[in-house]
Amino acid sequence: MGPVKLMLTALTLATATLANAAPATAATATPDVFEAAAIDHVGMNVPDIDSAVAFFSDLIGATVIADMRPGNIPAEWKTRFRWHQSSELERFVMLQLKGGAKVELFQYRGQEINHEQPHEDDIGASHFALKTSDIAHSLKVIKARGLTVLNDPITNPDGVQWFYFL
């Protein structure tokens, strides 16, 4: 398997919570375990950032909390982060959902960028899950907007229901 990119984000609330917790003793400390307090955000590349922002804002009520146009990216950065040298990061936007989760959207341009979505079984293909309190209503809204629904809701043995849409 190829490298997986993870981002470490310092969470002030998590740090404060951990600082107030009882100190680990030699018997309970696990020095080789990475301690993550929460998922801060999910990042994804999109072909049209304005359309993506409108989609997330209109469909799930996300609000823009940051919107940046970084300018030219140095070649060394592109090499380190495994970008095509011809690519430029045009813009990135951080959205926040009502429950606190965030989605970060990136829009790149460049001659070597693959504009085809990978197959769902290809390395690098991904999804993110949205939680809802009313799956039937959410499915109705998604269908009314003309989005592609891949399956009828499935109920797991534990009662969790889910479906995929594009």
Side-chain angles (χ1 to χ4, degrees), residues 112-132:
E112 299 172 88
I113 293 173
N114 180 4
H115 295 279
E116 297 295 321
Q117 179 181 4
H119 289 92
E120 290 301 316
D121 55 351
D122 287 342
I123 299 298
S126 61
H127 75 275
F128 68 94
L130 301 170
K131 192 175 199 175
T132 181

Side-chain angles (χ1 to χ4, degrees), residues 78 82-88 108-116:
K78 293 177 185 181
R82 301 172 42 98
W83 291 8
H84 298 290
Q85 287 298 315
S86 66
S87 295
E88 291 298 332
Y108 295 90
R109 65 175 155 68
Q111 297 171 344
E112 299 172 88
I113 293 173
N114 180 4
H115 295 279
E116 297 295 321

Side-chain angles (χ1 to χ4, degrees), residues 42 56 61 145 163:
V42 173
F56 284 106
R145 291 172 183 266
F163 66 91

Side-chain angles (χ1 to χ4, degrees), residues 73-82 85:
I73 304 296
E76 304 82 38
W77 179 278
K78 293 177 185 181
T79 299
R80 175 159 309 272
F81 287 90
R82 301 172 42 98
Q85 287 298 315

Side-chain angles (χ1 to χ4, degrees), residues 3 21 24 58 64 74 115 122 150 152 156:
D58 188 42
V64 174
H115 295 279
D122 287 342
L150 299 180
D152 288 328
N156 291 346

Side-chain angles (χ1 to χ4, degrees), residues 22-61:
T25 64
T28 61
T30 310
D32 60 345
V33 174
F34 183 98
E35 299 221 14
I39 294 175
D40 182 69
H41 67 271
V42 173
M44 61 190 300
N45 299 347
V46 297
D48 180 340
I49 206 160
D50 289 324
S51 293
V53 167
F55 172 79
F56 284 106
S57 299
D58 188 42
L59 181 67
I60 59 177

